[in-house]
């Protein structure tokens, strides 16, 4: 559809959310850039090559208990009624025991450890009240990790416990995929960064999107505000096509100053313009020289909704990051939520804790108003009303999604 046709038609035909999201994901190619980073910088990064253990853990036989290292056969028959007496020495030989602590290297000649609770020391002798078998209370070489064992496959997202394990096997760096790069272009001639005059608006969408990109595992470039001018918009997009994704905010609808779909269509192709969701149906998706372009609406709430629905999954695919679902809370709705049939609605709600035997409650912060940033900033989550449902009534149990999750 041409830009003029699109503007005259408005958004009578809107693409379903799932279809639009898949269209964008189909245009995203996961990058193959990797880098080696210190373990201290690798939390939540994605493994780019298979990782195997360079050494065993433990790399020596070690005592698993405080006590005495012994030859197991020297304790055979020992009991509370018939204990065995062994000499205490520096080395373990027949009839001799050596004191050890948890984690100590097992002395040569020893093959077991008697727990200190089952012994009694008198002078240079130790009385043993419990027999042990060979290998008892001993951690063998490689009990935790064997040398050469595969630890992590490509695509695993590293956690602090993983990094501790890697350090234990001798790694101090790890090969990971580079973070996907995202150019964030705030647009609009009315936008300023501070001290707004009448008719001017503080730029928040670009900053918000930038911080979401970083929370979601990407590396964002937050550009200066671009005015509503075809040549300026063309230049801004063209200059950042070396990024994995380009995201614009504002200028995505069909008004006289909504120039971005026209610019993207001229530079490449608009794949979707208008999605059946509320708030934020004037979102547009495109591709220029194989770089996906996501054109977010200018209203702050609509911008956030679409960033979560489209930018997050696209960014995670570009960077080999796992796709995860948001945490949810089941709650009882205190007021009705209305929704237009055929449209997926994201209704912001506040959660309130209930008594021990009752569900939490969810109260809508505002039924409408995609330009009211406080309605999302002060909310605890949103209720997703699917296209097939006309809304929910007070008293219904609803699922509240926490869109602020970062994993």
């Amino acid at each position: 559809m041409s830009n003029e046709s699109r503007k005259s038609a408005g958004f009578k035909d809107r693409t379903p959310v799932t279809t639009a999201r898949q269209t964008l994901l189909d245009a995203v190619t996961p990058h193959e850039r990797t880098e080696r980073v210190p373990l201290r910088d690798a939390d939540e990064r994605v493994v780019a090559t298979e990782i195997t253990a360079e050494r065993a853990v433990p790399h020596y036989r070690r005592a698993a208990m405080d006590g005495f290292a012994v030859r197991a056969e020297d304790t055979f028959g020992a009991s509370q009624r018939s204990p065995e007496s062994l000499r205490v020495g520096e080395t373990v030989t027949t009839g001799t025991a050596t004191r050890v602590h948890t984690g100590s290297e097992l002395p040569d000649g020893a093959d077991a450890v008697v727990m200190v609770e089952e012994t009694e020391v008198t002078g240079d002798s130790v009385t043993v009240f419990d027999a042990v078998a060979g290998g008892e209370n001993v951690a063998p070489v490689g009990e935790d990790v064997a040398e050469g064992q595969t630890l992590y496959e490509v695509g695993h997202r590293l956690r602090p416990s993983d990094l501790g394990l890697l350090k234990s096997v001798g790694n101090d760096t790890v090969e990971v995929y580079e973070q996907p790069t995202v150019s964030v272009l705030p647009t609009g001639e009315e936008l300023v960064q501070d001290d707004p005059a009448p008719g001017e608006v503080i730029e928040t969408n670009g900053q918000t999107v930038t911080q979401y990109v970083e929370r979601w595992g990407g590396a964002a470039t937050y550009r200066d505000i671009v005015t509503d001018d075809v040549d300026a918009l063309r230049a801004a997009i063209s200059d950042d096509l070396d990024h994995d994704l380009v995201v614009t905010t504002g200028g995505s609808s069909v008004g006289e100053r909504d120039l971005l779909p026209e610019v993207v269509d001229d530079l490449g192709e608009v794949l979707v313009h208008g999605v059946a969701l509320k708030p934020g149906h004037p979102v547009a998706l495109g591709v220029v020289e194989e770089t996906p372009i996501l054109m977010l609406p200018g209203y702050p709430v609509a911008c956030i909704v679409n960033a979560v629905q489209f930018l997050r999954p696209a960014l995670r695919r570009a960077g080999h990051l796992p796709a995860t679902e948001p945490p949810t809370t089941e709650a009882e709705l205190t007021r009705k939520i209305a929704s237009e049939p055929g449209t997926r609605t994201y209704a912001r709600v506040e959660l309130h804790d209930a008594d021990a035997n009752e569900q939490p409650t969810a109260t809508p912060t505002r039924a409408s108003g995609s330009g009211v940033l406080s309605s999302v900033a002060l909310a605890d989550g949103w209720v997703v009303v699917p296209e097939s449902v006309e809304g929910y009534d007070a008293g219904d149990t609803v699922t509240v999604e926490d869109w602020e999750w970062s994993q």
Side-chain angles (χ1 to χ4, degrees):
M1 180 185 294
S2 70
N3 190 60
E4 289 304 317
S5 299
R6 189 181 294 113
K7 289 189 174 185
S8 62
F11 294 106
K12 294 178 183 177
D13 297 319
R14 302 176 186 176
T15 304
V17 175
T18 52
T19 302
R21 184 186 296 126
Q22 190 57 53
T23 299
L24 178 62
L25 291 177
D26 288 343
V28 176
T29 301
H31 75 72
E32 298 302 327
R33 306 183 306 274
T34 67
E35 61 181 335
R36 184 162 288 277
V37 300
L39 293 184
R40 65 180 177 275
D41 297 329
D43 186 28
E44 298 191 344
R45 300 296 296 274
V46 178
V47 173
T49 59
E50 182 182 83
I51 301 176
T52 58
E54 296 181 6
R55 67 179 177 217
V57 178
H59 60 283
Y60 60 92
R61 292 190 309 156
R62 65 186 180 191
M65 298 285 180
D66 290 344
F68 287 86
V70 299
R71 288 167 18 108
E73 62 185 46
D74 288 343
T75 71
F76 290 171
S79 67
Q80 290 290 330
R81 299 181 61 181
S82 179
E84 290 287 340
S85 181
L86 302 174
R87 297 185 306 278
V88 177
E90 295 297 322
T91 59
V92 176
T93 58
T94 301
T96 302
T98 296
R99 186 182 294 275
V100 292
H101 303 285
T102 302
S104 297
E105 183 179 9
L106 200 69
D108 290 341
D111 62 358
V113 173
V114 180
M115 292 189 297
V116 68
E117 298 94 323
E118 301 295 341
T119 65
E120 184 177 289
V121 177
T122 305
D124 60 357
S125 297
V126 59
T127 302
V128 177
F129 297 99
D130 187 35
V132 290
E136 190 168 343
N137 299 323
V138 174
V141 172
E143 179 189 49
D144 190 355
V145 180
E147 183 179 356
Q149 177 182 334
T150 298
L151 300 179
Y152 302 110
E153 303 284 353
V154 173
H156 177 76
R157 195 175 193 193
L158 293 165
R159 305 159 297 179
S161 58
D162 300 325
L163 303 177
L165 179 59
L166 290 176
K167 185 175 182 180
S168 76
V169 299
N171 294 64
D172 55 12
T173 62
V174 61
E175 189 80 11
V176 295
Y177 286 108
E178 289 185 7
Q179 293 178 305
T181 57
V182 180
S183 166
V184 181
L185 301 172
T187 76
E189 63 184 37
E190 76 282 8
L191 298 180
V192 294
Q193 292 292 5
D194 53 39
D195 297 328
E200 294 180 335
V201 178
I202 291 289
E203 199 296 300
T204 61
N205 288 334
Q207 173 184 295
T208 301
V209 170
T210 294
Q211 291 170 328
Y212 275 129
V213 167
E214 292 169 352
R215 171 174 285 199
W216 295 335
T221 303
Y222 179 26
R223 297 300 192 191
D224 291 337
I225 297 166
V226 184
T227 193
D228 295 318
D229 174 80
V230 169
D231 292 335
L233 293 169
R234 283 177 58 93
I237 291 172
S238 298
D239 287 347
D240 278 357
L241 294 177
D242 56 342
H243 289 66
D244 295 310
L245 296 162
V246 173
V247 182
T248 63
T249 64
S252 68
S253 191
V254 291
E256 288 302 315
R257 293 194 298 176
D258 293 305
L259 304 174
L260 276 164
E262 173 187 350
V263 169
V264 171
D265 222 17
D266 184 51
L267 291 171
E269 179 184 6
V270 171
L271 304 174
V272 173
H273 191 200
V275 178
L277 85 170
K278 185 179 180 180
H281 67 269
V283 62
L285 316 173
V287 176
V288 176
E289 297 181 15
E290 300 185 351
T291 300
I293 313 293
L294 174 56
M295 292 161 273
L296 299 174
Y299 280 135
V301 182
C303 179
I304 290 173
V305 168
N306 280 286
V308 174
Q309 300 310 312
F310 298 107
L311 174 56
R312 188 180 195 278
L315 181 152
R316 296 182 77 82
R317 174 167 289 191
H320 299 264
L321 292 156
T324 55
E325 295 298 321
T328 60
T329 301
E330 298 297 305
E332 181 181 333
L333 195 61
T334 63
R335 293 204 305 265
K336 180 178 180 178
I337 293 175
S339 182
E340 177 185 344
T343 297
R344 186 176 301 185
T345 297
Y346 296 82
R348 291 85 73 194
V349 298
E350 294 179 357
L351 283 172
H352 302 279
D353 292 333
D355 296 334
N357 297 325
E358 297 181 359
Q359 280 186 323
T361 58
T363 300
T365 59
R366 184 178 289 264
S368 62
S370 61
V372 184
L373 182 55
S374 62
S375 71
V376 68
L378 300 180
D380 297 305
W382 55 44
V383 175
V384 181
V385 185
E387 292 87 342
S388 59
V389 177
E390 293 189 26
Y392 294 118
D393 292 324
D396 286 349
T397 295
V398 294
T399 299
V400 180
E401 290 187 359
D402 177 7
W403 73 84
E404 299 280 17
W405 93 113
S406 58
Q407 295 301 314

